[in-house]
Amino acid sequence: MIIVETSHDDPRTQALIALQKAHAREHTPPQFGHAFEAGSEKAAKVRFFLALDEETPVGCLGLAALGPDEAEIKTMHILEAMRGRGIGMLLLDHVMDQARAAGATRLKLETGPNEGFAASRRLYERAGFEKCEPWGAYIDDPFSYCMAREI
């Protein structure tokens, strides 16, 4: 398993973002969704990382700068058949290293509060993230569950 940095318009990245977005739509009312379109202007501001099993993309994770010392984890998705193999933690560790190298001292993320996002919340908790106050577009959104950790 290797991790490579890619772009928002890489077809492999776009395919995984589409799967993540479909999962989010299934578990979140439309008016509360925060998933963005692959290839969009918003996506262009995110650094994307792919986990590759040989040449096959099996997971992705994005990293977006929030300010000089904060960054946000975006759009994590692991192929369903590959879950439970440590790929999510591998991606998280890599992205935390990338965030530190860019000067971030704090990482934030937003996921869902319901059962459809329970596995992702558990993964983030194992990585040291704790529930925090919402920020930005997540304020006043009952379907946002915000987490953060110092890095």
Side-chain angles (χ1 to χ4, degrees):
M1 191 76 51
I2 63 166
I3 297 179
V4 298
E5 187 164 356
T6 185
S7 67
H8 70 97
D9 56 0
D10 182 314
R12 301 170 303 172
T13 303
Q14 290 185 349
L16 286 164
I17 289 172
L19 291 171
Q20 186 273 338
K21 189 171 182 175
H23 178 268
R25 279 191 192 136
E26 182 180 337
H27 297 285
T28 308
Q31 69 271 28
F32 295 110
H34 296 282
F36 53 80
E37 294 294 328
S40 69
E41 183 178 319
K42 189 174 181 181
K45 296 177 182 177
V46 177
R47 292 175 65 193
F48 287 98
F49 301 88
L50 291 177
L52 301 176
D53 183 8
E54 299 193 16
E55 293 295 315
T56 304
V58 296
C60 73
L61 185 60
L63 178 66
L66 290 176
D69 60 352
E70 284 190 328
E72 181 180 4
I73 289 177
K74 304 288 290 179
T75 313
M76 177 182 269
H77 189 77
I78 309 300
L79 291 179
E80 192 169 346
M82 299 300 286
R83 293 179 187 161
R85 299 180 188 194
I87 298 166
M89 193 62 77
L90 184 69
L91 277 164
L92 268 176
D93 287 343
H94 184 82
V95 167
M96 284 192 280
D97 288 343
Q98 293 293 314
R100 278 187 209 96
T105 59
R106 183 171 172 84
L107 273 178
K108 294 180 174 181
L109 63 91
E110 182 269 344
T111 188
N114 53 2
E115 187 58 32
F117 298 96
S120 65
R121 289 192 310 274
R122 286 191 299 272
L123 172 67
Y124 294 131
E125 287 168 358
R126 284 194 311 274
F129 287 84
E130 297 178 344
K131 187 171 176 27
C132 71
E133 290 297 314
W135 72 95
Y138 312 124
I139 295 173
D140 298 326
D141 180 347
F143 285 90
S144 283
Y145 187 95
C146 295
M147 302 177 82
R149 71 160 281 180
E150 303 300 315
I151 56 170

